[in-house]
Amino acid sequence: SLTDPKDRRGLAHFLEHMLFLGTEKYPDVSDYGNYLKTNGGYNNAYTGGDHTNYHFEIRHEAFEGALDRMAQFFIAPLFTPEFTDREMNAVNSEYQKNLENDGWREFQLHCSLYRADHPANQFNIGNRDTLTGTTREELLAFHQAHYSANTMTLAIVGKDSLDQLESWVRTYYSGIKNKHLEPIRFDPDFSPAKPALRLLRMEPVKDLRQMSLEFALPATLQFYDSKPSRLIGFILGHEGEGSLLSQLKAEGLATGLSAGANSQTPDYGTFDATVNLTTAGLANYHRVLELFYSAVARLKSSGYPDYLFNEQQAMARLDEAFKDKGEGAGRAVELANLIRDYPFEFAEREPYLWLQPDPKAYQVVLNQLRPDNMLVTLIAKGIETDQVEHYYGTKYSYHEDAGEAYTSLLGVKAIDAIQLPKPNPFVPAQATMLPIQPVQLIDEPGLSLYYAQDTEFLRPMVTEIYRFRLPRSLGTLENSVLLSFYAACVNEALNENAYPAKEAGLDFSITAALEGVQVVVSGYDASATRLLDVIAGNLVGFELSEE
């Protein structure tokens, strides 16, 4: 969508829809969809900023026919004019579906504030107003300009042999022309830095209280071997003892926090932090900003955290060996995107590659988390607004303050309450498969009980379920409410201590209802018992402030 003509907002998305409606080889507008449906399959597509992804899933016996049909999208599409209005309505319906989605509304506001002459200042979905009048010639021209074999990647996932899969690809996809298109490069300066606090206020549809921080990033895909953005996002989004979230909670300002980076294109991206505010946090949002920059100052003063890199590396190795990689269309979409962004020889492994610490790359990302490179968005009901966004009708206001509100953020120091995460005691030193042999647990007259090791999944993982049943006499409305409240209290009290366990591949749940209290622990068996000890110690003796 970043290549949409200025007078045809949404053209890339519209073309995505039109490609499904017949080709020279399969001219029936319903052929592709019907073939998939009658063979237990489905299809979908999405248009991103710098790529469009088409995918399907189908039973194995019909795989070849579906591959043939999809290949024709890129060889000889018809773009039949008689279906233009129908698909324009479909695009418009997709746009209307998002009118009350606060995520889309915020995204469009951000786009409108980006540099006016940059492609990121866009309306990517399109609607009837922007697409009315689109001709078949325009669609063919866009297809000709951007659809070429050398700018495409293909991933197919099936049970047939690699030789058979490759044979089908060569047969059906060799007809796609290689137009030797040059990769499109995008100016990374889509949101120029400005010495002011840029504050966007937005009235949501839902009853939200939220603050989001967005920082423009340069190209970061080349840092795949050290993943500095993920490391910084992990630290700032941490929920354990001494974390930014813990301090926000201690001051009654927030209930939740997330942080991480997103590469919009190979040339630029964003680092984003989202804070779920309390009423006090909304009223004192500047204090939330101060604490955020205290956390950033702590990262800068602490130097490169080798021990955290090593923990991420250890978990990535375990996940690569044992984590479920997915299947079907979801797996194919992931692989096609990976080989688009990374060198083919290791693209599949990229999510798990933590090859070497890189303090310089870490500093490149950290240096972007500056007040002059920040766009703040406050989202809440009843917030002060004075403008209406054109496409979504969102009520908003935007102000730039170069005074005290901005300058006070420039010299924020680290505070003792906010520290880097401590070494994680739950990261397994090793994960080994147990020997596959039955073990006799009980041998007595009338009963022999054996334990048999699982041989299907072959993973060093465990799930333990403990259930405390309650007597029927406790089955009252009041006790039902108290049990829900009890579960919420225990989960909140456990969050700081149990959060590192979740980062180490463990998971747990505590539920309480009239049927009983249930505790479930799952993950790598080498460290699950440690988490169970933490949980058990908090089921009765938990500590939680009155607030």
Side-chain angles (χ1 to χ4, degrees):
S1 62
L2 289 170
T3 57
D4 284 344
K6 285 191 174 183
D7 59 348
R8 275 286 177 260
R9 300 293 192 182
L11 184 62
H13 181 214
F14 184 37
L15 183 141
E16 169 215 304
H17 278 247
M18 292 295 293
L19 277 191
F20 289 90
L21 304 179
T23 60
E24 289 182 8
K25 185 174 182 179
Y26 299 101
D28 187 337
V29 67
S30 302
D31 179 84
Y32 179 63
N34 287 342
Y35 182 83
L36 291 166
K37 288 177 184 177
T38 55
N39 285 286
Y42 74 90
N43 65 274
N44 210 338
Y46 70 85
T47 295
D50 68 340
H51 72 284
T52 299
N53 184 299
Y54 301 85
H55 48 276
F56 70 80
E57 189 171 304
I58 199 166
R59 65 188 184 96
H60 293 282
E61 294 80 3
F63 197 15
E64 180 181 6
L67 286 170
D68 180 18
R69 283 163 172 79
M70 190 171 78
Q72 295 302 312
F73 291 4
F74 317 111
I75 297 172
L78 290 178
F79 296 129
T80 308
E82 66 186 276
F83 299 114
T84 300
D85 270 358
R86 190 186 82 173
E87 286 313 302
M88 197 177 298
N89 285 331
V91 170
N92 196 66
S93 293
E94 198 170 327
Y95 154 70
Q96 290 178 324
K97 170 181 67 71
N98 293 330
L99 286 175
E100 296 189 349
N101 183 306
D102 288 317
W104 277 103
R105 291 156 70 89
E106 182 184 2
F107 171 75
Q108 191 57 50
L109 281 175
H110 284 204
C111 288
S112 69
L113 294 175
Y114 296 150
R115 213 179 77 203
D117 61 344
H118 194 281
N121 189 310
Q122 61 164 337
F123 170 51
N124 61 346
I125 294 179
N127 60 21
R128 286 203 68 88
D129 291 339
T130 64
L131 294 171
T132 294
T134 303
T135 65
R136 181 173 184 271
E137 288 67 34
E138 285 179 86
L139 292 167
L140 285 169
F142 194 90
H143 192 278
Q144 178 70 22
H146 299 294
Y147 282 62
S148 170
N150 74 305
T151 63
M152 295 174 66
T153 60
L154 174 66
I156 65 175
V157 179
K159 71 175 183 180
D160 294 277
S161 70
L162 290 176
D163 287 344
Q164 178 62 76
L165 295 175
E166 181 178 342
S167 173
W168 286 339
V169 170
R170 292 189 179 279
T171 298
Y172 299 114
Y173 286 78
S174 293
I176 300 174
K177 291 182 181 178
N178 183 356
K179 303 166 188 173
H180 302 285
L181 299 180
E182 289 293 321
I184 299 174
R185 311 305 305 188
F186 298 99
D187 182 355
D189 191 24
F190 69 98
S191 182
K194 186 173 289 188
L197 176 60
R198 291 178 281 175
L199 182 60
L200 175 66
R201 290 181 171 90
M202 171 185 142
E203 173 88 26
V205 175
K206 291 185 177 180
D207 189 8
L208 302 176
R209 278 191 310 274
Q210 186 174 294
M211 179 169 74
S212 66
L213 313 179
E214 180 183 271
F215 302 87
L217 289 183
T220 57
L221 291 180
Q222 71 272 27
F223 301 140
Y224 64 85
D225 56 352
S226 64
K227 298 179 171 46
S229 298
R230 278 175 59 180
L231 191 56
I232 292 171
F234 165 77
I235 296 171
L236 290 176
H238 202 266
E239 298 181 17
E241 182 183 354
S243 64
L244 169 59
L245 179 59
S246 290
Q247 186 59 29
L248 288 167
K249 284 183 174 181
E251 296 189 23
L253 301 173
T255 59
L257 169 71
S258 63
N262 179 31
S263 288
Q264 312 285 359
T265 76
D267 301 301
Y268 69 84
T270 60
F271 188 94
D272 304 281
T274 301
V275 184
N276 298 326
L277 300 171
T278 62
T279 304
L282 179 63
N284 298 280
Y285 70 87
H286 200 273
R287 176 59 179 165
V288 178
L289 290 174
E290 289 176 351
L291 290 175
F292 176 83
Y293 279 104
S294 290
V296 172
R298 175 63 62 198
L299 266 70
K300 291 180 177 178
S301 65
S302 299
Y304 188 81
D306 290 274
Y307 71 101
L308 292 178
F309 178 91
N310 293 337
E311 288 180 357
Q312 296 292 316
Q313 183 183 62
M315 290 308 305
R317 286 172 176 165
L318 287 174
D319 288 343
E320 183 174 21
F322 301 114
K323 191 176 181 181
D324 182 5
K325 305 299 190 301
E327 59 185 19
R331 180 63 171 152
V333 168
E334 179 188 30
L335 289 172
N337 286 338
L338 286 171
I339 62 176
R340 179 178 60 90
D341 289 334
Y342 301 101
F344 189 86
E345 57 270 21
F346 61 77
E348 180 185 2
R349 299 188 60 217
E350 188 280 331
Y352 309 101
L353 294 181
W354 292 75
L355 299 182
Q356 56 187 1
D358 189 343
K360 289 184 178 179
Y362 182 82
Q363 200 63 44
V364 166
V365 177
L366 200 54
N367 285 343
Q368 303 306 311
L369 307 187
R370 311 183 312 269
D372 68 330
N373 190 39
M374 175 177 66
L375 173 62
V376 180
T377 306
L378 282 178
I379 303 174
K381 283 288 190 181
I383 203 164
E384 182 182 345
T385 63
D386 56 15
Q387 298 183 66
V388 177
E389 192 274 324
H390 174 70
Y391 293 107
Y392 287 82
T394 309
K395 294 180 180 179
Y396 76 99
S397 66
Y398 175 70
H399 299 286
E400 297 177 355
D401 188 342
E404 173 68 14
Y406 168 71
T407 57
S408 62
L409 298 175
L410 297 176
V412 173
K413 304 294 185 184
I415 61 175
D416 291 340
I418 299 178
Q419 299 288 333
L420 264 61
K422 296 177 180 178
N424 193 334
F426 296 102
V427 174
Q430 59 180 0
T432 55
M433 296 298 299
L434 299 176
I436 300 175
Q437 58 187 29
V439 177
Q440 188 170 35
L441 301 179
I442 298 176
D443 182 18
E444 59 185 45
L447 176 63
S448 292
L449 177 65
Y450 286 83
Y451 161 78
Q453 169 75 6
D454 166 67
T455 59
E456 180 177 355
F457 295 101
L458 297 177
R459 291 171 181 167
M461 295 179 174
V462 66
T463 296
E464 301 180 19
I465 302 172
Y466 300 88
R467 189 171 181 188
F468 303 87
R469 298 180 63 188
L470 301 181
R472 283 182 174 270
S473 61
L474 292 179
T476 68
L477 178 61
E478 182 181 14
N479 283 339
S480 177
V481 175
L482 287 173
L483 282 163
S484 296
F485 184 48
Y486 163 76
C489 288
V490 173
N491 279 293
E492 176 63 30
L494 275 170
N495 189 59
E496 280 194 5
N497 291 327
Y499 183 82
K502 291 190 174 185
E503 295 296 325
L506 297 171
D507 202 3
F508 75 94
S509 68
I510 297 171
T511 56
L514 293 177
E515 293 81 10
V517 176
Q518 182 169 283
V519 178
V520 180
V521 174
S522 60
Y524 291 105
D525 54 15
S527 52
T529 304
R530 276 173 260 165
L531 174 58
L532 192 62
D533 288 342
V534 172
I535 292 173
N538 280 271
L539 287 177
V540 176
F542 64 85
E543 294 183 5
L544 204 63
S545 69
E546 285 296 318
E547 288 78 10

